[in-house]
């Protein structure tokens, strides 16, 4: 019997940067999600709402804000909104990942992640995103779009995500280095 073939992810992107801090110092900042307003392109802060903070299974409610001109032609959420995410990997000094939850509280196939690797006198911080299947929110956005509009949306949304990852790293680097 042939092995099942997993379809490629719907969206996948990554960015990386060198940080003048130890992996432990990097991890101390990236796992402190309530501080994410200091570096995130959209999350302006939030709070832990379940579980021990920054541990696998903990739930974070993020407060977000998106500009009106982001993929302006598509019916995406703009202004303020909140999300819930569940920590799915928490390995101090190495990795911190969270999956977006749906309205029923289930983790979706949409994971934001930081991975840390020793790099000379500091660390290499890799920020990545992967969406295997459309989230509840993405399904709502694309439900009224035809095939061409869907392709355009995913191309433009992918560019947005790539930009957000790079912007986040540029903003978090000085925060980590100052804390170190």
């Amino acid at each position: 019997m042939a092995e099942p073939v997993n379809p490629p992810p719907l969206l996948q992107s990554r960015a990386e940067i060198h940080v003048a801090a130890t992996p432990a110092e990097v991890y101390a900042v990236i796992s402190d999600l309530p501080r994410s307003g200091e570096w995130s392109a959209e999350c302006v802060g939030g709070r832990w709402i379940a579980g021990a903070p920054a541990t696998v299974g903990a739930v974070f409610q993020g407060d977000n804000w998106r500009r009106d001109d982001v993929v302006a032609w598509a019916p995406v959420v703009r202004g303020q909104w909140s999300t819930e995410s569940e920590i799915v990997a928490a390995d101090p000094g190495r990795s911190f990942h969270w999956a977006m939850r749906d309205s029923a509280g289930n983790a979706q196939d949409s994971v934001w992640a930081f991975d840390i690797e020793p790099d000379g006198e500091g660390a290499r911080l890799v920020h990545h995103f992967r969406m295997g299947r459309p989230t509840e929110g993405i399904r709502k956005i694309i439900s009224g779009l035809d095939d061409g509009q869907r392709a355009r949306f995913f191309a433009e949304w992918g560019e947005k995500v790539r930009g957000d990852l790079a912007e986040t790293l540029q903003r978090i680097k000085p925060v980590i280095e100052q804390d170190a």
Side-chain angles (χ1 to χ4, degrees), residues 77-110:
V77 175
R78 301 179 199 297
Q80 291 185 299
W81 84 100
S82 293
T83 57
E84 285 187 6
S85 54
E86 180 177 326
I87 306 308
V88 295
D91 187 359
R94 298 183 61 148
S95 61
F96 191 71
H97 303 189
W98 60 98
M100 302 310 299
R101 291 172 34 143
D102 65 16
S103 59
N106 300 309
Q108 300 178 92
D109 190 8
S110 176

Side-chain angles (χ1 to χ4, degrees), residues 32-124:
D32 191 358
L33 289 182
R35 290 184 65 189
S36 59
E38 295 176 45
W39 55 78
S40 175
E42 285 191 347
C43 184
V44 297
R47 67 214 53 75
W48 294 105
I49 60 172
T55 63
V56 172
V59 178
F60 179 77
Q61 181 177 17
D63 300 321
N64 307 289
W65 185 83
R66 184 174 299 130
R67 299 181 331 259
D68 289 341
D69 64 345
V70 174
V71 190
W73 62 272
V76 300
V77 175
R78 301 179 199 297
Q80 291 185 299
W81 84 100
S82 293
T83 57
E84 285 187 6
S85 54
E86 180 177 326
I87 306 308
V88 295
D91 187 359
R94 298 183 61 148
S95 61
F96 191 71
H97 303 189
W98 60 98
M100 302 310 299
R101 291 172 34 143
D102 65 16
S103 59
N106 300 309
Q108 300 178 92
D109 190 8
S110 176
V111 177
W112 294 89
F114 284 111
D115 289 315
I116 310 159
E117 305 163 1
D119 185 24
E121 295 292 316
R124 174 124 329 255

